[in-house]
Amino acid sequence: MVSSIRSATPSRPGRCALPAHSGVSTYEPRNPESSVVVRVLREHLSEFEEAVEQHVAEAEEPSGSDDASVGTKGLPPWVVSQLRAMASCGDFLRGFTVWQCGTCERHRIIPFSCKTRVCSSCAARRMNDTAAWLTDRILVRGARWRQYVVTFPAPLAVGLCFRSALASAVTRLSIRVLFGHQRRRAPASEGRPHPAAVVWLQRFSDALGCWFHLHALLPDGVFRERPGSLDVEFESQPAPTHAEMECLVRTLSRRVLGLLRRRAAADPADAPLLEQLASAPEATRHRDPTPPPSRVRPAPRLCVRHDDFTLHAATSVAPGDTQALERLIRYVARPPVSEDRLRELDDGRIQLRLKRARRDGVRAVTFTPVSFIARLAALIPPPGANQVLYFGALATGSPLRRHILPEPPASTPQRPTAPPRPAKMPHRDLLKRVFLADVTRCPCGGVLTVVDVVEKPDVVQAVLAAIILCDQAPPRAPPT
């Protein structure tokens, strides 16, 4: 019965879909069986765990070598629990909510999600919630917000993914360099200039690798608190010049390398085994049969490099353009895995199409299922680790924060307003805001409401079995 429920229930996840002519986008809950990540985890997670156990056992055997760089600890418990949660994301057997229409009494069941940070569906929900909250309640609308992308040399970018204390120190130092630049550009006046920033700590690359880099949103200007007044004014500044960017990246390189010389040896890896999993080999690389001829590419505007440190600041959003600002935040807060670029080959291997071709012509990489899960495991951040940080006037402890937060816009049916923290935006409101889909609308025009939350395994199987039998029952004859 369990196998029949697992195969039958996802085929009818949303039994009250809106018709195409209703004027509102049709909402259909996703089918987890169509997710490459979910299928690979369900079929090969036990194989991956056995391979890890074997690797740890071999590393613990005395080999006569004094090399202490090989970690002998197994997978952290939080990695195992999140991988297993991702494997059951959207599974009706884990539980679901029951919705009922108050007019026609039709039902819809929606399964629970895993709420992990690597799951493309659950991380996308967190991405949209963060973008809505920042746009509505945090970021000043009268400022031009500019994205600064800070990348580091290859060994450092990989190592920082597994050294949280060192990564925090490098992040704070990088923001101090950017803040110092903005303070020096501020005109001499009464009151101290206060920069502000929202920073995302990204730990992934395009090819499912671990690569620590920073995406920071800073306004083109500073906030200034006038002496003897509670008013905080925003002073705009022009965009940075190319010469200023070159000076910034040289300063950043010098100070980060100095920090590493002082404390790199005192910051061992948080989870040595995860650092090894990050280098799980790719099975094959797919190149263009006729790669384009090499040519000298012009340097992008406001993009500079020094000692393999790069700083990019060409992307900005005009003041008052809240929709463009929200799209930019969704980009910097995106999930590490995109289901649209994954494909399961006939031989069971997983192919990942790159966002853009590399200079050597590589357009896609292929992994075995175990290597693919190893890459996923290395991307899972530790529990409680903040991936979004606030600095300067936007920091939680800043006395200026409450004076510069904007008034939230009025909520509309098509664009609900994000609630104040710690509340999260309801999923139904996110669907309206992002996809213009109303999950609470029934085809009859009524309103769907939650009537039950089913979590107990025996009740779950009984309800799902009843749904299967109801779907398989022949239609009744009309009454005579």
Side-chain angles (χ1 to χ4, degrees), residues 404-460:
I404 65 176
L405 296 184
E407 288 292 331
S411 182
T412 63
Q414 292 78 21
R415 190 179 175 85
T417 302
R421 290 292 193 251
K424 299 289 186 180
M425 199 168 186
H427 195 195
R428 60 178 181 271
D429 290 343
L430 281 176
L431 290 172
K432 289 181 183 179
R433 180 165 179 146
V434 179
F435 299 109
L436 299 179
D438 191 354
V439 68
T440 63
R441 286 285 301 278
C442 182
C444 70
V447 179
L448 293 166
T449 57
V450 179
V451 296
D452 197 5
V453 179
V454 182
E455 298 179 284
K456 295 182 179 180
D458 53 345
V459 179
V460 168

Side-chain angles (χ1 to χ4, degrees), residues 187-201:
S189 178
E190 293 184 353
R192 183 185 178 189
H194 294 270
V198 184
V199 184
W200 283 262
L201 282 61

Side-chain angles (χ1 to χ4, degrees), residues 30 38 86 89 114-124 335-337:
R30 68 185 181 95
V38 172
M86 290 171 60
C89 184
C114 63
K115 298 179 177 61
T116 60
R117 295 187 178 183
V118 180
C119 173
S120 58
S121 176
C122 299
V337 183

Side-chain angles (χ1 to χ4, degrees), residues 358-373:
R358 297 175 179 172
R359 294 185 178 180
D360 57 357
V362 175
R363 287 190 174 274
V365 292
T366 304
F367 302 93
T368 64
V370 173
S371 296
F372 180 76
I373 299 177

Side-chain angles (χ1 to χ4, degrees), residues 52-63:
V52 170
E53 293 177 358
Q54 181 180 359
H55 171 78
V56 172
E58 293 175 354
E60 290 178 345
E61 293 180 357
S63 58

Side-chain angles (χ1 to χ4, degrees), residues 224-347:
R224 195 184 295 271
E225 184 179 15
R226 299 300 180 185
S229 174
L230 296 178
D231 296 334
V232 179
E233 298 179 357
F234 176 75
E235 297 179 354
S236 61
Q237 297 177 351
T241 64
H242 191 80
E244 291 173 336
M245 294 287 292
E246 290 181 338
C247 181
L248 278 175
V249 74
R250 286 195 296 267
T251 303
L252 183 66
S253 171
R254 183 181 70 254
R255 297 187 63 176
V256 170
L257 293 178
L259 173 67
L260 294 178
R261 284 192 293 268
R262 293 191 301 269
R263 57 174 294 178
D267 289 276
D270 302 331
L273 181 58
L274 290 182
E275 192 169 8
Q276 300 175 32
L277 295 180
S279 59
E282 303 163 350
T284 56
R285 296 184 177 185
H286 304 272
R287 290 181 169 86
D288 287 335
T290 56
S294 59
R295 56 186 177 88
V296 179
R297 298 182 179 180
R301 186 176 63 89
L302 295 182
C303 182
V304 292
R305 175 186 295 268
H306 179 73
D307 288 343
D308 290 335
F309 288 80
T310 62
L311 183 62
H312 186 282
T315 304
S316 65
V317 177
D321 194 350
T322 56
Q323 293 187 356
L325 180 60
E326 188 167 353
R327 288 195 301 268
L328 177 59
I329 297 174
R330 289 174 188 168
Y331 166 74
V332 299
R334 66 192 183 278
V337 183
S338 174
E339 287 280 354
D340 296 336
R341 295 193 284 118
L342 289 175
R343 184 166 66 96
E344 190 172 5
L345 303 180
D346 295 337
D347 57 2

